[in-house]
Amino acid sequence: MAIDWQQLSEQYREAYVADLTTLVGIDSARDDSKATTDYPLGPGPAKALIAFLGLAERDGFKVKNLDNLVGYVEFGEGDETLAILGHADTMPGGKGWHTDPFTLTKKDGNLYGRGTSDDKGPALAAYYGLKMMKDQGIKPTKKIRFIIGTDEESDWTGMHHYLDLEPAPTLGFSPDAEFPLINGEKGNVTFESHFAGANGGSVTLREFDAGLRENMVPRDAEATVETADADQLVADFKTFLDQAPVTGTVEADAAGLHFQVIGKAAHGMEPKNGINAGTYLASFLTAYDFGGDAEDFLALLANQLHDDSRAHKLGIAFNDKIMGDLTMNVGIMTFTADKGGLINTNFRYPTGIGAAEILVGLQKATEMMNVEIKQDREMVPHYVDPSDPIVTTLMDVYRQQTGDLDAQPEVVGGGTYGRLMKRGVAFGALFPGTKDTMHQADEFQPEDDLIKAMSIYGQATYELTK
């Protein structure tokens, strides 16, 4: 069947933007503090899932909601299943926006809002690719399941729930990254360093707070400090701000000095793209006489973790010629006097190194400190051979529709649902040359790019199931 997918996708532009407006309007960040039986990850993720499935029901698809944790849209029949894996949850809105993060805003050809780039915009474009097939009367030779998770940005609870209840897909793609195609993803492991809350010096750290998620470079950091020499710290802080790539304020009241630092948020898979407000604030404070656990907390941040995304100071810098560098993001930093502290470090690592070696580096860095290190979830590296038909077919469609005949598959540090399938890859929707604003304030995606992605997804799904 000869279909002009690009021309066809233009006919769906208005409807697509209307549906994306609905999805972006739902704050779907996971919030365990609001979890209930009906909303196991908080109301936002479930409401976004229900809205997504509602669009598909409206369009005549078979849908199924698995306990408000994950759901799927099904189309076609066959012995083999092609899976398209997206997610309806987002990062928290965060600070620093020039528009309302939960109102889809058009400006200069771009669509702004939390989820426009990660992953509501791309996932909806992939869904519309499926809808175009259905509307054209195409009957695929494989069963297609468009699966929608609800906590891709945290523990993947929803997708693991799917795998507990449904057969595991072996073939498919996730529209949750960038074009042309990602056939390899680094390993991913998180460690938490726990501190007691004692102070012991002439300066007291009452509170320290930075970061929202492990896979997000913190834009904001705050600390409250008690000192008898407030004037000197205030003067020193102003000098620090003149020299550092951050902005900030300091205010004094009866509780002490309140410091605030603003850096730049970025996706944790490449910390170089952000400016970590938390480690910068720690690098300023560590020069003063805190003592005890507070001293250790600030010293680890400032001396071993600050401005070192390749973990040279930990002695675990590593590079693989296919997968590239090991990277480290310091995502969450909290300390409360008497109650204790936490430093969350997320590592993306290539083949050739693993969690055991990373733990050794952290242990050596903290061997003189009263610290307990705990390992959180781990995902090992994932790689699909470039000659696999899932790769060659998708690359052919991308090259045909974009004219970029030199495009090649890539390996990245991000973790997508694609790695859940033995022959799973990540495919779009960020085009080369488009600014990456995932996990950042003012997240956006060009409207034309999303419509182009819809066209690519339509043809790609058709080619994989004809």
Side-chain angles (χ1 to χ4, degrees):
M1 178 180 291
I3 297 175
D4 187 333
W5 293 97
Q6 294 183 7
Q7 183 181 58
L8 182 61
S9 65
E10 284 293 337
Q11 300 173 21
Y12 290 82
R13 181 185 290 263
E14 183 177 349
Y16 170 85
V17 173
D19 287 344
L20 185 57
T21 299
T22 298
L23 295 175
V24 170
I26 302 169
D27 180 353
S28 55
R30 177 173 176 169
D31 187 349
D32 291 338
S33 70
K34 297 179 181 179
T36 65
T37 301
D38 290 336
Y39 300 139
L41 304 175
K47 289 181 178 179
L49 172 64
I50 291 167
F52 224 129
L53 295 177
L55 300 178
E57 248 184 337
R58 174 202 66 192
D59 295 333
F61 286 101
K62 174 186 175 182
V63 305
K64 189 169 185 178
N65 183 336
L66 302 175
D67 305 309
N68 276 347
L69 283 170
V70 65
Y72 63 84
V73 179
E74 188 170 285
F75 178 54
E77 297 178 352
D79 296 332
E80 189 175 10
T81 298
L82 173 74
I84 304 170
L85 283 67
H87 64 92
D89 62 303
T90 65
M91 299 298 288
K95 300 178 181 179
W97 286 74
H98 294 89
T99 63
D100 179 356
F102 304 112
T103 299
L104 189 72
T105 303
K106 290 188 181 186
K107 182 179 178 182
D108 300 326
N110 297 320
L111 300 178
Y112 288 83
R114 183 58 89 206
T116 51
S117 184
D118 182 17
D119 181 43
K120 292 176 178 177
L124 186 64
Y127 165 74
Y128 262 79
L130 198 62
K131 174 176 166 57
M132 288 192 295
M133 286 181 58
K134 180 177 180 294
D135 290 350
Q136 291 294 305
I138 296 172
K139 294 184 178 181
T141 61
K142 296 183 179 70
K143 181 187 297 182
I144 303 171
R145 278 198 176 177
F146 182 81
I147 308 170
I148 308 156
T150 54
D151 68 332
E152 191 274 346
E153 301 294 1
S154 50
D155 295 332
W156 293 21
T157 306
M159 202 56 70
H160 291 308
H161 187 60
Y162 177 90
L163 295 174
D164 287 340
L165 299 176
E166 301 285 341
T170 58
L171 171 76
F173 65 87
S174 176
D176 186 26
E178 59 194 47
F179 287 123
L181 180 143
I182 292 168
N183 67 314
E185 299 181 8
K186 296 178 185 178
N188 187 326
V189 66
T190 295
F191 290 92
E192 292 183 347
S193 299
H194 293 264
F195 299 77
N199 278 269
S202 61
V203 185
T204 299
L205 182 63
R206 283 295 169 199
E207 292 184 326
F208 189 105
D209 185 69
L212 298 171
R213 294 287 178 84
E214 65 185 46
N215 56 348
M216 187 176 186
V217 177
R219 173 187 180 271
D220 301 279
E222 299 177 350
T224 298
V225 170
E226 291 181 7
T227 177
D229 199 4
D231 291 343
Q232 184 63 55
L233 262 70
V234 170
D236 291 348
F237 187 61
K238 292 178 180 178
T239 301
F240 167 77
L241 292 178
D242 288 338
Q243 300 171 349
V246 295
T247 59
T249 59
V250 57
E251 298 178 357
D253 61 20
L257 293 177
H258 302 281
F259 295 91
Q260 181 184 43
V261 168
I262 299 175
K264 178 186 176 185
H267 196 300
M269 72 175 177
E270 183 43 273
K272 283 184 177 181
N273 292 336
I275 300 173
N276 195 315
T279 64
Y280 267 97
L281 180 54
S283 72
F284 167 73
L285 292 175
T286 196
Y288 300 95
D289 180 30
F290 284 93
D293 302 307
E295 179 183 15
D296 290 344
F297 173 83
L298 294 172
L300 179 59
L301 287 172
N303 301 332
Q304 303 293 336
L305 306 179
H306 173 58
D307 197 25
D308 188 21
S309 66
R310 269 51 185 174
H312 290 281
K313 297 172 190 174
L314 295 179
I316 55 173
F318 190 85
N319 175 274
D320 172 76
K321 65 179 181 179
I322 294 177
M323 289 196 161
D325 291 338
L326 174 148
T327 64
M328 174 186 67
N329 181 53
V330 190
I332 300 173
M333 297 147 268
T334 62
F335 186 93
T336 304
D338 301 327
K339 293 183 179 179
L342 164 71
I343 298 174
N344 175 294
T345 44
N346 176 246
F347 298 85
R348 313 293 174 104
Y349 62 91
T351 299
I353 192 170
E357 293 87 348
I358 294 170
L359 176 59
V360 168
L362 285 168
Q363 289 172 332
K364 287 183 178 179
T366 58
E367 60 186 351
M368 302 302 292
M369 301 177 182
N370 180 28
V371 178
E372 180 183 9
I373 301 175
K374 297 180 179 180
Q375 180 180 326
D376 202 346
R377 63 176 183 139
E378 180 183 16
M379 295 182 287
V380 299
H382 171 73
Y383 188 73
V384 180
D385 193 285
S387 64
D388 189 292
I390 185 69
V391 177
T392 58
T393 300
L394 295 179
M395 285 300 304
D396 286 346
V397 171
Y398 175 82
R399 290 171 182 142
Q400 177 183 332
Q401 289 219 21
T402 64
D404 183 3
L405 302 182
D406 296 325
Q408 298 295 329
E410 305 169 351
V411 175
V412 300
T416 74
Y417 287 153
R419 71 193 306 148
L420 292 172
M421 300 172 284
K422 183 176 181 181
R423 298 173 60 208
V425 299
F427 189 49
L430 188 71
F431 284 92
T434 298
K435 184 178 180 181
D436 181 357
T437 56
M438 298 180 192
H439 297 197
Q440 301 177 38
D442 293 334
E443 179 182 348
F444 76 88
Q445 193 86 320
E447 181 178 332
D448 286 347
D449 280 10
L450 289 166
I451 302 305
K452 186 189 298 183
M454 182 197 305
S455 171
I456 291 172
Y457 288 138
Q459 183 181 354
T461 307
Y462 168 70
E463 295 291 343
L464 288 169
T465 59
K466 67 180 182 180

